[in-house]
Amino acid sequence: MTELPPAIRLTGLTKEFGAVTAVDHVDLEIGAGEFFSMLGPSGSGKTTVLRLIAGFEQPTDGTIELFGQDVTKKAPFDRDVNTVFQDYALFPHMSVLDNVAYGLRVRGMKRAERRERALAALAGVRLEQMAARKPSQLSGGQRQRVALARATVVQPKVLLLDEPLGALDLKLREQMQVELKQIQRDLGITFIFVTHDQEEALTLSDRIAVFHDGRIEQLGTPRDLYENPASTFVADFVGTSNLFGAEHSAAIIGRDGHHSIRPEKLTLASAAATAAGERSAPGTIVESIYIGSGIRRVIDLDAGPRVTVLEPNTRSRAVDDDRGDRVHVTWHDEDVVSLIPPGT
Ligand code: ADP
Ligand code: MG
């Protein structure tokens, strides 16, 4: 039995801009039909990787394969990929339908067929009623969906999305995240999604590559990254973490090395932990913040570090007058994550 080649294979991919190494020997395979995210802070090389895959940039070194075919030297229009940019780049003077049909017109498709295909693509993003409108007559979320229909109408095997929800407000963003996931599942094509928003990446992705300084710091499922961050950088960037360096690990956690514990894995007790597998550290409440779904407490441990504890909003305990209270911050040994220290 022959194994199908991955949708994308990057081998030693490197891009230098003068003295800046934007992408530094990236090796990566992305499976057909995967919703794959590249997550990282601004300047970590995500957009450059996307532009290299699309063919808008030439790599300094390394190769790019699409479905087993080396496309490193091919022009953008010879690659079976399409890109959705953050600013959508719709043509303002064209109707929604003509915007979506544009890529088909460029490919020389007949008018009737173009129209049919464009309407089907608009139906896919639930915008068929808006076909006659101009982009200026749409909301931000609707424009975003038009951009998506325009990119998918030519049926690319891989869709590249560079922070496509970045211009939307939070509520709309959350709605679009759900829709994007549904559209990807319906179309069955590979999505490569770039974002600096860790929550968005966790929500949408089958797998995530966390970028840092042009390299992949960690690759895994959302659950892998959240539950088992390999490094201090990932523990800190993906979600909120309480980080313990070597000294505090030894004093508080009772282990050598660097560690982290998520705020929701910490609880507060009035006495020191005695149960098997549990540990605790005494401290003083500095701040309690009501955040609707929960209560976030900031606690200064006697041993030094300040930690955050996230309690679900299920208790009746008052939140406004517990500053200065003495507590025992408690956790289970299994919830302590061992990290690769920074700079190694
Ligand atoms: P991200 O998308 O993760 O924010 P980019 O891929 O845009 O990161 O940029 C990675 C690095 O490469 C940054 O240091 C950026 O300044 C640099 N860079 C990107 N494009 C260019 C360019 N055309 N010329 C020079 N430097 C660039
Ligand atoms: Mg970018």
Side-chain angles (χ1 to χ4, degrees):
M1 208 176 97
T2 52
E3 213 172 291
L4 287 174
I8 302 268
R9 181 185 285 129
L10 309 179
T11 310
L13 193 66
T14 300
K15 179 65 180 179
E16 291 165 4
F17 295 106
V20 177
T21 305
V23 179
D24 192 2
H25 293 90
V26 166
D27 295 315
L28 179 62
E29 284 188 9
I30 300 173
E34 218 179 338
F35 197 125
F36 190 90
S37 291
M38 300 197 281
L39 171 69
S42 178
S44 57
K46 309 177 299 291
T47 293
T48 305
V49 171
L50 220 58
R51 291 176 57 80
L52 288 164
I53 294 172
F56 302 137
E57 300 279 0
Q58 271 296 306
T60 310
D61 201 8
T63 57
I64 299 163
E65 287 167 57
L66 287 178
F67 297 94
Q69 190 197 15
D70 189 333
V71 299
T72 315
K73 297 274 186 308
K74 289 205 167 181
F77 53 81
D78 275 337
R79 303 182 183 197
D80 218 346
V81 302
N82 215 340
T83 311
V84 178
F85 298 100
Q86 182 174 344
D87 60 7
Y88 319 148
L90 299 178
F91 299 116
H93 60 285
M94 285 187 196
S95 70
V96 164
L97 186 73
D98 288 343
N99 260 286
V100 174
Y102 181 78
L104 303 173
R105 199 171 95 196
V106 171
R107 282 168 174 73
M109 189 180 281
K110 294 245 165 41
R111 188 181 157 79
E113 195 185 350
R114 268 188 346 238
R115 196 185 148 75
E116 194 179 318
R117 288 263 296 268
L119 281 171
L122 279 171
V125 296
R126 285 176 292 288
L127 276 183
E128 63 272 52
Q129 311 298 333
M130 307 280 174
R133 291 202 189 177
K134 295 278 166 60
S136 62
Q137 296 169 308
L138 300 178
S139 70
Q142 290 168 337
R143 278 204 283 274
Q144 208 287 332
R145 272 144 58 186
V146 175
L148 208 57
R150 189 181 55 174
T152 52
V153 75
V154 295
Q155 300 177 333
K157 290 210 185 92
V158 176
L159 194 63
L160 309 174
L161 304 105
D162 195 353
E163 313 235 4
L165 309 182
L168 307 179
D169 61 43
L170 180 65
K171 201 79 208 163
L172 197 52
R173 221 182 145 100
E174 288 175 352
Q175 273 172 25
M176 280 305 303
Q177 287 171 2
V178 174
E179 293 198 13
L180 210 54
K181 184 87 186 172
Q182 285 171 346
I183 290 166
Q184 188 263 345
R185 211 177 278 131
D186 290 350
L187 295 174
I189 62 179
T190 310
F191 271 33
I192 306 181
F193 186 87
V194 161
T195 181
H196 65 271
D197 180 333
Q198 51 93 16
E199 203 172 302
E200 190 162 280
L202 292 176
T203 308
L204 289 171
S205 318
D206 295 317
R207 284 191 308 152
I208 301 169
V210 180
F211 276 74
H212 184 205
D213 290 342
R215 285 176 296 106
I216 295 176
E217 180 102 1
Q218 191 174 354
L219 175 69
T221 63
R223 197 184 164 84
D224 288 339
L225 296 183
Y226 193 82
E227 299 289 337
N228 295 303
S231 67
T232 304
F233 177 81
V234 176
D236 208 23
F237 193 75
V238 180
T240 310
S241 282
N242 295 297
L243 300 174
F244 300 90
E247 188 191 329
H248 290 143
S249 287
I252 298 165
I253 295 181
R255 299 189 206 171
D256 289 335
H258 290 234
H259 297 87
S260 76
I261 310 178
R262 297 288 185 189
E264 68 271 21
K265 307 285 191 191
L266 295 175
T267 56
L268 300 182
S270 52
T274 52
E278 278 192 353
R279 286 181 79 94
S280 64
T284 304
I285 297 178
V286 178
E287 198 71 69
S288 288
I289 302 157
Y290 179 76
I291 55 167
S293 60
I295 297 158
R296 187 186 297 138
R297 295 182 204 275
V298 179
I299 295 161
D300 278 344
L301 297 180
D302 296 352
R306 174 168 284 192
V307 296
T308 299
V309 177
L310 183 65
E311 293 180 315
N313 188 6
T314 53
R315 312 220 174 119
S316 53
R317 188 173 168 180
V319 298
D320 47 1
D321 58 357
D322 58 4
R323 274 181 297 162
D325 282 8
R326 297 285 296 159
V327 287
H328 292 266
V329 175
T330 306
W331 63 90
H332 202 279
D333 275 333
E334 283 175 11
D335 293 326
V336 176
V337 177
S338 170
L339 302 172
I340 299 165
T344 50

